[in-house]
Amino acid sequence: MPKIDESRPFLPVNIAVVTVSDTRSAADDRSGDALAERIAGAGHRVAARTIVRDDIAAIRAQVQSFIADPQVDVVLTTGGTGVTGRDVTPEAVEALYEKAIPGFGELFRYLSYAKVGTSTIQSRATGGVANGTYIFALPGSPSACRDAWDDILVWQLDNRHRPCNLVELMPRLREHMA
C-alpha cells in the first residue's frame, strides 16, 4: 500500500504555475490560486506564476523559459486542455517532451470519472519531461486542479512517498544529456 515514509526528510521542489487563458487576470485566476495554495501548503515553493493567452507559440515560449531555468523543477499549466478550437495547451507542451508520462493523463481521467462521469473524456490532461523538468498540463477548472494536485501530484512530488515518486528520479532526468 502506498504511504509516506516519515524516516525520510522532505525535499521541497520549485514549481512554476502557468495559467492559460484569454480571459483570466491575476485578480480572478482561481485555478492558479488553487494550485499556488496547495503547492505552498505541501511545503514546496511557487518559483513563478504567470498567465499566458491561448496560443501555441505563447504557451510553448513560456514553458520553454521555465524548463531552461535551473530554479524550476516542475511546470504546472492550467487551462486549454479541452477539445475546443482555443484549447491548445497539449499541442504546445507535448512538442517539448523528451519523454511523455502517459500514466498521468490516464490516472487523472480515471479519478475524474468518479466525480464527473463520462465528461472526463473532454480532458486532455497530459504530463511529460523536458530538459530535466516535469511538465503537467491540467484542466482550467479549480476543482480539476485540486483533484490533480490532491489525488496525484502531492504524492508524486513528495520524495517520502513509497513505493516510489517522481522527486527521487530528478537527479537522473538529464542522464541522456551528459
mmCIF file of all heavy atoms in Angstrom, residues 58-82:
data_model
loop_
_atom_site.group_PDB
_atom_site.id
_atom_site.type_symbol
_atom_site.label_atom_id
_atom_site.label_comp_id
_atom_site.label_asym_id
_atom_site.label_seq_id
_atom_site.Cartn_x
_atom_site.Cartn_y
_atom_site.Cartn_z
ATOM 1 N N ALA A 58 2.778 31.206 -27.643
ATOM 2 C CA ALA A 58 2.926 31.885 -26.351
ATOM 3 C C ALA A 58 3.080 30.873 -25.212
ATOM 4 O O ALA A 58 3.932 31.037 -24.328
ATOM 5 C CB ALA A 58 1.722 32.789 -26.093
ATOM 6 N N ILE A 59 2.267 29.827 -25.246
ATOM 7 C CA ILE A 59 2.352 28.792 -24.206
ATOM 8 C C ILE A 59 3.713 28.118 -24.272
ATOM 9 O O ILE A 59 4.407 27.965 -23.258
ATOM 10 C CB ILE A 59 1.230 27.746 -24.369
ATOM 11 C CG1 ILE A 59 -0.146 28.398 -24.225
ATOM 12 C CG2 ILE A 59 1.412 26.598 -23.370
ATOM 13 C CD1 ILE A 59 -1.288 27.540 -24.747
ATOM 14 N N ARG A 60 4.092 27.714 -25.470
ATOM 15 C CA ARG A 60 5.356 26.991 -25.636
ATOM 16 C C ARG A 60 6.539 27.853 -25.195
ATOM 17 O O ARG A 60 7.444 27.370 -24.513
ATOM 18 C CB ARG A 60 5.519 26.557 -27.091
ATOM 19 C CG ARG A 60 6.661 25.572 -27.288
ATOM 20 C CD ARG A 60 6.670 25.015 -28.690
ATOM 21 N NE ARG A 60 5.507 24.158 -28.896
ATOM 22 C CZ ARG A 60 4.974 23.904 -30.090
ATOM 23 N NH1 ARG A 60 5.483 24.434 -31.179
ATOM 24 N NH2 ARG A 60 3.931 23.109 -30.194
ATOM 25 N N ALA A 61 6.538 29.131 -25.564
ATOM 26 C CA ALA A 61 7.644 30.022 -25.188
ATOM 27 C C ALA A 61 7.745 30.149 -23.672
ATOM 28 O O ALA A 61 8.847 30.114 -23.107
ATOM 29 C CB ALA A 61 7.470 31.387 -25.835
ATOM 30 N N GLN A 62 6.599 30.291 -22.999
ATOM 31 C CA GLN A 62 6.623 30.427 -21.536
ATOM 32 C C GLN A 62 7.118 29.154 -20.871
ATOM 33 O O GLN A 62 7.955 29.195 -19.976
ATOM 34 C CB GLN A 62 5.241 30.797 -21.007
ATOM 35 C CG GLN A 62 5.215 31.032 -19.515
ATOM 36 C CD GLN A 62 6.118 32.156 -19.086
ATOM 37 O OE1 GLN A 62 5.827 33.313 -19.337
ATOM 38 N NE2 GLN A 62 7.240 31.848 -18.451
ATOM 39 N N VAL A 63 6.609 28.016 -21.313
ATOM 40 C CA VAL A 63 7.038 26.745 -20.720
ATOM 41 C C VAL A 63 8.515 26.511 -21.025
ATOM 42 O O VAL A 63 9.270 26.078 -20.141
ATOM 43 C CB VAL A 63 6.141 25.583 -21.194
ATOM 44 C CG1 VAL A 63 6.690 24.244 -20.724
ATOM 45 C CG2 VAL A 63 4.708 25.783 -20.682
ATOM 46 N N GLN A 64 8.966 26.825 -22.232
ATOM 47 C CA GLN A 64 10.392 26.668 -22.563
ATOM 48 C C GLN A 64 11.266 27.523 -21.662
ATOM 49 O O GLN A 64 12.336 27.080 -21.240
ATOM 50 C CB GLN A 64 10.649 27.035 -24.025
ATOM 51 C CG GLN A 64 10.257 25.952 -24.990
ATOM 52 C CD GLN A 64 10.464 26.370 -26.434
ATOM 53 O OE1 GLN A 64 10.052 27.450 -26.849
ATOM 54 N NE2 GLN A 64 11.096 25.499 -27.197
ATOM 55 N N SER A 65 10.821 28.733 -21.349
ATOM 56 C CA SER A 65 11.636 29.583 -20.476
ATOM 57 C C SER A 65 11.746 28.969 -19.086
ATOM 58 O O SER A 65 12.797 29.055 -18.446
ATOM 59 C CB SER A 65 11.078 31.003 -20.412
ATOM 60 O OG SER A 65 9.913 31.072 -19.623
ATOM 61 N N PHE A 66 10.685 28.332 -18.613
ATOM 62 C CA PHE A 66 10.745 27.696 -17.301
ATOM 63 C C PHE A 66 11.595 26.429 -17.324
ATOM 64 O O PHE A 66 12.324 26.166 -16.374
ATOM 65 C CB PHE A 66 9.347 27.394 -16.766
ATOM 66 C CG PHE A 66 8.608 28.614 -16.285
ATOM 67 C CD1 PHE A 66 7.251 28.758 -16.528
ATOM 68 C CD2 PHE A 66 9.256 29.612 -15.578
ATOM 69 C CE1 PHE A 66 6.557 29.878 -16.090
ATOM 70 C CE2 PHE A 66 8.578 30.740 -15.136
ATOM 71 C CZ PHE A 66 7.228 30.863 -15.388
ATOM 72 N N ILE A 67 11.516 25.631 -18.393
ATOM 73 C CA ILE A 67 12.331 24.417 -18.406
ATOM 74 C C ILE A 67 13.811 24.732 -18.612
ATOM 75 O O ILE A 67 14.660 23.914 -18.275
ATOM 76 C CB ILE A 67 11.824 23.357 -19.418
ATOM 77 C CG1 ILE A 67 11.913 23.853 -20.848
ATOM 78 C CG2 ILE A 67 10.420 22.903 -19.072
ATOM 79 C CD1 ILE A 67 11.543 22.808 -21.887
ATOM 80 N N ALA A 68 14.102 25.923 -19.108
ATOM 81 C CA ALA A 68 15.502 26.347 -19.241
ATOM 82 C C ALA A 68 16.045 26.920 -17.936
ATOM 83 O O ALA A 68 17.256 27.065 -17.774
ATOM 84 C CB ALA A 68 15.630 27.387 -20.352
ATOM 85 N N ASP A 69 15.156 27.235 -17.007
ATOM 86 C CA ASP A 69 15.536 27.844 -15.736
ATOM 87 C C ASP A 69 15.923 26.754 -14.734
ATOM 88 O O ASP A 69 15.081 25.946 -14.339
ATOM 89 C CB ASP A 69 14.360 28.655 -15.198
ATOM 90 C CG ASP A 69 14.674 29.414 -13.933
ATOM 91 O OD1 ASP A 69 15.660 29.073 -13.230
ATOM 92 O OD2 ASP A 69 13.918 30.352 -13.617
ATOM 93 N N PRO A 70 17.175 26.717 -14.288
ATOM 94 C CA PRO A 70 17.588 25.674 -13.337
ATOM 95 C C PRO A 70 16.893 25.781 -11.982
ATOM 96 O O PRO A 70 16.954 24.844 -11.181
ATOM 97 C CB PRO A 70 19.102 25.874 -13.208
ATOM 98 C CG PRO A 70 19.357 27.269 -13.659
ATOM 99 C CD PRO A 70 18.274 27.616 -14.640
ATOM 100 N N GLN A 71 16.210 26.891 -11.723
ATOM 101 C CA GLN A 71 15.494 27.065 -10.461
ATOM 102 C C GLN A 71 14.073 26.514 -10.508
ATOM 103 O O GLN A 71 13.335 26.616 -9.524
ATOM 104 C CB GLN A 71 15.455 28.550 -10.079
ATOM 105 C CG GLN A 71 16.825 29.148 -9.860
ATOM 106 C CD GLN A 71 17.608 28.403 -8.788
ATOM 107 O OE1 GLN A 71 17.102 28.159 -7.700
ATOM 108 N NE2 GLN A 71 18.829 28.008 -9.106
ATOM 109 N N VAL A 72 13.660 25.942 -11.655
ATOM 110 C CA VAL A 72 12.318 25.378 -11.797
ATOM 111 C C VAL A 72 12.443 23.872 -12.004
ATOM 112 O O VAL A 72 13.097 23.423 -12.940
ATOM 113 C CB VAL A 72 11.551 26.025 -12.969
ATOM 114 C CG1 VAL A 72 10.207 25.338 -13.196
ATOM 115 C CG2 VAL A 72 11.344 27.517 -12.720
ATOM 116 N N ASP A 73 11.794 23.111 -11.122
ATOM 117 C CA ASP A 73 11.806 21.648 -11.207
ATOM 118 C C ASP A 73 10.575 21.100 -11.912
ATOM 119 O O ASP A 73 10.625 20.043 -12.531
ATOM 120 C CB ASP A 73 11.846 21.029 -9.797
ATOM 121 C CG ASP A 73 13.048 21.484 -8.995
ATOM 122 O OD1 ASP A 73 14.176 21.389 -9.515
ATOM 123 O OD2 ASP A 73 12.849 21.932 -7.845
ATOM 124 N N VAL A 74 9.446 21.803 -11.764
ATOM 125 C CA VAL A 74 8.164 21.346 -12.282
ATOM 126 C C VAL A 74 7.416 22.553 -12.844
ATOM 127 O O VAL A 74 7.433 23.625 -12.249
ATOM 128 C CB VAL A 74 7.303 20.704 -11.155
ATOM 129 C CG1 VAL A 74 5.952 20.255 -11.683
ATOM 130 C CG2 VAL A 74 8.037 19.556 -10.484
ATOM 131 N N VAL A 75 6.749 22.338 -13.981
ATOM 132 C CA VAL A 75 5.857 23.351 -14.539
ATOM 133 C C VAL A 75 4.451 22.768 -14.548
ATOM 134 O O VAL A 75 4.226 21.679 -15.097
ATOM 135 C CB VAL A 75 6.252 23.750 -15.977
ATOM 136 C CG1 VAL A 75 5.261 24.768 -16.538
ATOM 137 C CG2 VAL A 75 7.674 24.289 -16.025
ATOM 138 N N LEU A 76 3.511 23.482 -13.931
ATOM 139 C CA LEU A 76 2.104 23.104 -13.969
ATOM 140 C C LEU A 76 1.365 24.134 -14.788
ATOM 141 O O LEU A 76 1.419 25.329 -14.473
ATOM 142 C CB LEU A 76 1.496 23.061 -12.564
ATOM 143 C CG LEU A 76 2.112 22.120 -11.546
ATOM 144 C CD1 LEU A 76 1.355 22.215 -10.226
ATOM 145 C CD2 LEU A 76 2.118 20.691 -12.056
ATOM 146 N N THR A 77 0.702 23.689 -15.855
ATOM 147 C CA THR A 77 -0.164 24.598 -16.592
ATOM 148 C C THR A 77 -1.595 24.261 -16.216
ATOM 149 O O THR A 77 -1.923 23.118 -15.905
ATOM 150 C CB THR A 77 0.013 24.497 -18.120
ATOM 151 O OG1 THR A 77 -0.508 23.248 -18.592
ATOM 152 C CG2 THR A 77 1.476 24.654 -18.525
ATOM 153 N N THR A 78 -2.457 25.259 -16.250
ATOM 154 C CA THR A 78 -3.878 25.054 -16.018
ATOM 155 C C THR A 78 -4.650 25.786 -17.093
ATOM 156 O O THR A 78 -4.429 26.966 -17.340
ATOM 157 C CB THR A 78 -4.313 25.507 -14.609
ATOM 158 O OG1 THR A 78 -5.741 25.433 -14.525
ATOM 159 C CG2 THR A 78 -3.851 26.899 -14.255
ATOM 160 N N GLY A 79 -5.503 25.045 -17.775
ATOM 161 C CA GLY A 79 -6.319 25.610 -18.839
ATOM 162 C C GLY A 79 -5.876 25.154 -20.217
ATOM 163 O O GLY A 79 -4.725 24.766 -20.423
ATOM 164 N N GLY A 80 -6.829 25.166 -21.134
ATOM 165 C CA GLY A 80 -6.535 24.866 -22.522
ATOM 166 C C GLY A 80 -6.375 23.397 -22.850
ATOM 167 O O GLY A 80 -5.795 23.050 -23.877
ATOM 168 N N THR A 81 -6.909 22.501 -21.998
ATOM 169 C CA THR A 81 -6.753 21.068 -22.254
ATOM 170 C C THR A 81 -8.020 20.422 -22.799
ATOM 171 O O THR A 81 -8.081 19.205 -22.937
ATOM 172 C CB THR A 81 -6.326 20.310 -20.978
ATOM 173 O OG1 THR A 81 -7.360 20.438 -20.004
ATOM 174 C CG2 THR A 81 -5.003 20.817 -20.449
ATOM 175 N N GLY A 82 -9.024 21.218 -23.103
ATOM 176 C CA GLY A 82 -10.279 20.669 -23.628
ATOM 177 C C GLY A 82 -10.193 20.388 -25.117
ATOM 178 O O GLY A 82 -9.107 20.225 -25.679
#
